[in-house]
Amino acid sequence: MVEKQIVIMGAGLAGLSAAVSAREKGAEVLVLESRKCVGGISVTGMGLFAVESHHQKERNLDTVFTKDDAFEFIMDRTHWQLDAKIARAYVDKSADTIEWLEDMGVHFVLMDKLTFPGEIHQTGHLVNSSKMGIGANATADLIDKLYARALSVGAEVQTEAAVTDIQKTDYGYQILYTDASGSEKTVSAKAVIITAGGYMNNDTLMKETGRGFYLNENVGAVNSIPLTGDGVRLARKLGAVPDGMELMLTSYCDGDRFPRNAETQRLWDLMMFSFPYLWVNKEGERFVNEGLMNGCYLANAIANQTDGTYYMILDHATKEKIRTEGPDIWGYLSNDIQIDMDELFDKVIEGGSKNYFRAESIEDLADQIQVPVETLKATIKRYNADCAVGYDSLFNKKRKFLRPVKEAKYYAIRRKNGSYGSVGGIRINEKAQVKAENNRIINGLYAAGDCANSMIARDTALMYSLWGSCLGFAANFGRIAGENAADYVTT
Ligand SMILES: Cc1cc2nc3c(=O)[nH]c(=O)nc-3n(C[C@H](O)[C@H](O)[C@H](O)COP(=O)(O)OP(=O)(O)OC[C@H]3O[C@@H](n4cnc5c(N)ncnc54)[C@H](O)[C@@H]3O)c2cc1C
């Protein structure tokens, strides 16, 4: 049987970071990746968390928000349920990880100002890709460079190699996988690092979130890569204790598959970051302060609604305001987003979307979106009265977002809760060692990335308020896992 020092399950950001780090310490590494290509959902992002990085130092931001501040912030937000040493290790490693990636040729940009809804401190380091600049999918560039480094330092990476089982042996572990031809293969390793990502497509694990989420029913997937939960399942089989489990919810998944081009993308961007107007649920009632700046807060409120569904509603006057002046708030993607919604509605409806509605009357709108007309009218009446006096008597939304709905045409957009993926499932310590019952360490077993991200699982809003903390966790704990596994197998 083939024997390796370390086998890594999954080649996303966590797995590749672990591979490079373990090789840098001289350990022999085999990475098994089930898909045809490396990267997992890590190729779809924009950037990652760091604090006291040289970028922040250059702007004196390290004095405004220090490592200690970040540590305190995380522990405060997780009510000290999170293992404090995990927060400390994460925060302390983060600046070095930026330089480690820069050394591979990755370029980062710190944004000029806080630009993401809910971002409280400037922790997001956005990948500035030579091919596509900054924005969605820029982390594909980071993955390219990390993968190239992994190969150049001698890590062996096998794609189309899906791990099906991991068994404990006297030597360490026996890993079973199927290769590209469908043949079953076995490799043994002294240590295993599980970096197999999330579990959103696994109904059993989804139930463990305790939130009643059903993929494609009350929550949509923002990514198109199946998250099977194999890593969590196999770690549990080896005795790993469950840990916090949550989804990386976002209020903004449209569940739409209309053709994305420069124009239609702008409508999506607009809704993503800049739509704090009237929202109603399927019963026709308001349910949230639509102007909340943390997407997770909005998402949590949406998750409580029937089918995780809601409608964004506005009238002709607000539509004209968006066309001439732009929306009231925006993410950095949408700075120049003075758009003609009529034109864009035409395009997305032509493109096959069933989620965009226009009507000459509230009755007609209620009929189209199948919301009880009398409730909708009552909701709008109260909302308009609040707008008139500039005070949201229900949820205290900021005055500047109070725009009445009173002038035809009326517009509605149906939206669903969405999720970038899942977090948590495998309990680890600050060395990324997997924990069993009674705080026992499972020797030679490590985990990192989404499948072990108990930090975000304990407070998903950290995704925004310490922006970049999902990819940040994957990179930093991937490195930590690789380094510690290398020490374990070489000493
Ligand atoms: C659209 C989108 C945008 C995002 N933007 C950001 C952002 O800007 N900043 C941020 O911090 N976070 C962002 N996130 C979240 C972030 O992408 C994830 O938290 C992070 O990529 C997780 O990395 P990972 O290595 O743990 O998992 P993944 O990247 O999912 O890698 C896991 C790998 O394991 C493989 N695998 C699974 N099962 C097996 C098996 N049985 N055998 C072998 N291999 C297996 C998978 O194929 C996959 O390649 C975003 C997510 C999405 C979907």
Side-chain angles (χ1 to χ4, degrees), residues 94-134:
S94 63
D96 186 66
T97 293
I98 296 296
E99 289 187 32
W100 183 73
L101 290 166
E102 284 175 334
D103 184 55
M104 297 175 202
V106 181
H107 296 285
F108 290 100
V109 180
L110 197 64
M111 296 306 294
D112 286 333
K113 52 184 169 61
L114 299 178
T115 42
F116 288 91
E119 189 184 13
I120 292 176
H121 302 288
Q122 222 165 325
T123 58
H125 291 64
L126 301 174
V127 174
N128 191 2
S129 149
S130 49
K131 286 185 209 138
M132 60 186 96
I134 53 175

Side-chain angles (χ1 to χ4, degrees), residues 8-16 32-35 37-49 90 116 126 135-137 139 143 158 161-164 177 195-198 222-231 233-234 248 419-423 448-453 463 466-475:
I8 299 176
M9 176 186 181
L13 179 56
L16 291 173
L32 298 174
E33 164 57 49
S34 56
R35 299 179 69 236
C37 55
V38 300
I41 64 168
S42 303
V43 298
T44 54
M46 298 171 68
L48 59 149
F49 164 94
Y90 172 62
F116 288 91
L126 301 174
N137 304 317
T139 50
I143 291 293
Q158 199 173 328
V163 175
T164 52
Y177 66 98
T195 49
V222 177
N223 71 81
S224 54
I225 296 168
L227 304 174
T228 57
D230 291 351
R233 193 171 50 75
L234 296 181
M248 292 183 253
S419 182
Y420 294 115
S422 66
V423 273
D450 282 354
C451 62
N453 192 343
M463 268 167 60
L466 287 188
W467 198 88
S469 279
C470 299
L471 284 164
F473 196 90

Side-chain angles (χ1 to χ4, degrees), residues 1 16 71 74 78 95 119 145 158 240 279 386 398 412 419 453 464 468 489:
M1 189 195 310
L16 291 173
F71 168 75
I74 293 168
T78 59
E119 189 184 13
K145 292 188 168 122
Q158 199 173 328
W279 295 10
D386 285 352
K398 279 196 180 115
S419 182
N453 192 343
Y464 295 101
V489 299

Side-chain angles (χ1 to χ4, degrees), residues 151-413:
L151 297 179
S152 76
V153 295
E156 204 182 322
V157 182
Q158 199 173 328
T159 52
E160 294 185 270
V163 175
T164 52
D165 201 5
I166 305 172
Q167 293 159 3
K168 187 82 190 87
T169 62
D170 291 342
Y171 173 69
Y173 296 91
Q174 181 169 288
I175 298 100
L176 283 73
Y177 66 98
T178 50
D179 71 6
S181 67
S183 311
E184 291 195 352
K185 294 277 158 74
T186 308
V187 54
S188 85
K190 197 166 172 202
V192 172
I193 304 176
I194 297 181
T195 49
Y199 51 81
M200 257 205 326
N201 295 73
N202 181 318
D203 290 344
T204 311
L205 292 172
M206 280 286 269
K207 279 203 183 90
E208 285 190 30
T209 63
R211 307 251 313 235
F213 290 130
Y214 296 96
L215 189 60
N216 299 327
E217 286 181 27
N218 56 5
V219 65
V222 177
N223 71 81
S224 54
I225 296 168
L227 304 174
T228 57
D230 291 351
V232 176
R233 193 171 50 75
L234 296 181
R236 298 273 186 85
K237 217 176 132 236
L238 291 164
V241 278
D243 206 356
M245 296 182 74
E246 257 295 355
L247 297 192
M248 292 183 253
L249 285 182
T250 165
S251 63
Y252 308 115
C253 175
D254 58 10
D256 247 335
R257 293 289 170 256
F258 61 73
R260 292 278 177 82
N261 53 38
E263 283 294 284
T264 55
Q265 181 68 37
R266 301 183 84 198
L267 180 58
W268 196 83
D269 291 345
L270 169 72
M271 294 183 297
M272 179 107 171
F273 294 117
S274 324
F275 220 108
Y277 307 121
L278 174 64
W279 295 10
V280 300
N281 57 20
K282 280 191 155 181
E283 289 73 39
E285 292 176 358
R286 283 185 73 205
F287 59 92
V288 72
N289 169 351
E290 302 91 339
L292 287 177
M293 293 297 280
N294 193 308
C296 283
Y297 294 173
L298 293 167
N300 283 335
I302 296 160
N304 290 336
Q305 309 312 310
T306 308
D307 298 334
T309 297
Y310 67 105
Y311 298 89
M312 296 171 156
I313 292 179
L314 60 130
D315 74 351
H316 171 79
T318 302
K319 186 215 82 163
E320 279 302 292
K321 190 252 171 219
I322 291 169
R323 190 177 65 79
T324 53
E325 297 167 35
D328 286 284
I329 56 169
W330 50 68
Y332 90 100
L333 288 167
S334 319
N335 280 345
D336 61 344
I337 198 147
Q338 291 135 29
I339 63 165
D340 187 333
M341 286 181 54
D342 274 319
E343 225 175 80
L344 282 177
F345 264 49
D346 288 342
K347 284 203 171 102
V348 293
I349 291 165
E350 255 170 49
S353 173
K354 304 264 182 283
N355 292 323
Y356 296 79
F357 308 87
R358 267 175 299 205
E360 293 296 341
S361 67
I362 297 298
E363 287 80 359
D364 183 16
L365 192 74
D367 187 49
Q368 289 191 44
I369 64 179
Q370 295 182 319
V371 157
V373 63
E374 289 313 320
T375 316
L376 183 62
K377 279 163 95 177
T379 298
I380 291 174
K381 189 173 173 202
R382 175 167 181 175
Y383 186 67
N384 285 351
D386 285 352
C387 291
V389 295
Y391 171 61
D392 174 7
S393 60
L394 257 184
F395 302 129
N396 200 24
K397 181 162 74 174
K398 279 196 180 115
R399 192 184 188 117
K400 66 176 176 178
F401 301 141
L402 288 170
R403 295 189 175 276
V405 177
K406 56 185 186 189
E407 209 181 315
K409 292 180 179 154
Y410 302 100
Y411 298 75
I413 302 167

